[in-house]
Amino acid sequence: MGKLTLQDIKIFPLIKVSTVGGDILHGLKKTDSGFDGFGEAYFSQIHKGSIKAWKQHKLMTMNLIVPIGTIRFVFFLNGEYREEKIGTNNYARVVVPPGIWFGFQGIESTDNLLLNIASIPHDPTEAIRLPLENITYSWGAL
């Protein structure tokens, strides 16, 4: 594999199927591009305006899906930033390889919901964390 870049983050639109009583929201199949094994799935709730940053996984590939609300993701690598907004109106899966710094912000609902389908189980020693102010980024107005 060559040098890691922000272009290694992949976005895959997901299918919503409208049904009486509520939609069906597709997530991930083991045959989907970007699937790198299954370790665990977990949800993270983030309130509107709140920011959770900065974190870098050393081994984990993340498959990020926002089934409720909208979340702004900011990715940082080698002095460059990439921003993606996914959620109810832009339903997609973001595949993030290990080695990229990221943070996220709730931007729509009172409680935005993030699902990470991770390639490995949670290991507190596997990720590196930095305080928000250690990577300068203008999160801007909502």
Side-chain angles (χ1 to χ4, degrees):
M1 184 173 178
K3 182 179 175 186
L4 185 65
T5 71
L6 290 178
Q7 286 64 47
D8 292 315
I9 298 167
K10 302 298 181 199
I11 309 292
F12 297 97
L14 293 174
I15 296 170
K16 282 188 192 180
V17 179
S18 295
T19 65
V20 175
D23 293 346
I24 296 169
L25 306 173
H26 285 224
L28 178 66
K29 298 184 299 259
K30 68 179 182 178
T31 56
D32 286 345
S33 184
F35 180 75
D36 190 27
F38 177 77
E40 73 172 321
Y42 66 86
F43 293 93
S44 182
Q45 192 175 38
I46 186 159
H47 304 299
K48 183 176 183 177
S50 293
I51 298 169
K52 295 183 180 182
W54 294 98
K55 189 175 189 179
Q56 180 192 72
H57 287 286
K58 296 182 275 184
L59 302 172
M60 179 188 293
T61 297
M62 298 182 294
N63 285 273
L64 305 173
I65 300 168
V66 180
I68 298 172
T70 301
I71 295 177
R72 175 188 313 179
F73 293 92
V74 176
F75 304 100
F76 177 74
L77 184 66
N78 300 323
E80 295 183 29
Y81 296 95
R82 177 175 171 179
E83 183 178 302
E84 297 289 342
K85 293 178 186 175
I86 65 168
T88 306
N89 295 321
N90 181 25
Y91 190 58
R93 176 173 49 96
V94 180
V95 180
V96 184
I100 296 176
W101 288 99
F102 74 100
F104 55 96
Q105 178 182 35
I107 62 172
E108 186 176 296
S109 304
T110 301
D111 291 313
N112 301 278
L113 190 64
L114 165 65
L115 167 62
N116 179 16
I117 303 172
S119 62
I120 60 173
H122 173 74
D123 173 355
T125 66
E126 180 271 337
I128 305 167
R129 293 182 180 273
L130 290 175
L132 181 62
E133 61 274 6
N134 279 36
I135 296 177
T136 304
Y137 183 77
S138 177
W139 290 88
L142 298 180

